[in-house]
Amino acid sequence: MRARIASTVLATTILSLALSAPAMADGFGKGSGAGEGLAGETNDKIVTFFCLGVLLFFVLVIVVGTVIQQRLDRRKDAHKAATMRQRIGW
């Protein structure tokens, strides 16, 4: 069973690489859009700002996630404290 899965994965990988090679090689010529993406021709400034944006996005995701987690922990602790007060009360 493992040999069958391994051979299927290997065949699929080789087939996908063989079929995508002409599409990837098409962009490497001089006149066929080398260095041109969806936003047009790119330079170092565009790449730098894009990477900075990706970096800032992940920093913001971490900060927002931390704030949300802290608020949820505070709510949980308040709920636990209220439950404990009800048990001990008269």
Side-chain angles (χ1 to χ4, degrees), residues 50-64:
F50 178 78
C51 292
L52 183 64
V54 170
L55 180 74
L56 290 176
F57 169 76
F58 283 111
V59 168
L60 283 174
V61 165
I62 291 170
V63 168
V64 169

Side-chain angles (χ1 to χ4, degrees), residues 78-89:
H79 182 69
K80 282 171 88 174
T83 304
M84 290 302 290
R85 280 194 303 269
Q86 286 178 348
R87 283 188 197 171
I88 298 173

Side-chain angles (χ1 to χ4, degrees), residues 24-86:
M24 285 189 270
D26 188 35
F28 292 128
K30 252 189 172 182
S32 61
E36 202 167 319
L38 294 175
E41 193 171 338
T42 58
N43 56 19
D44 289 343
K45 183 179 177 182
I46 293 172
V47 172
T48 301
F49 283 135
F50 178 78
C51 292
L52 183 64
V54 170
L55 180 74
L56 290 176
F57 169 76
F58 283 111
V59 168
L60 283 174
V61 165
I62 291 170
V63 168
V64 169
T66 302
V67 169
I68 291 171
Q69 185 68 37
Q70 286 175 347
R71 289 186 182 180
L72 288 174
D73 280 343
R74 261 194 239 138
R75 281 183 60 192
K76 182 179 78 171
D77 291 342
H79 182 69
K80 282 171 88 174
T83 304
M84 290 302 290
R85 280 194 303 269
Q86 286 178 348

Side-chain angles (χ1 to χ4, degrees), residues 6-24:
S7 65
T8 303
V9 168
L10 183 65
T12 304
T13 304
I14 290 173
L15 182 67
S16 65
L17 287 174
L19 292 176
S20 65
M24 285 189 270

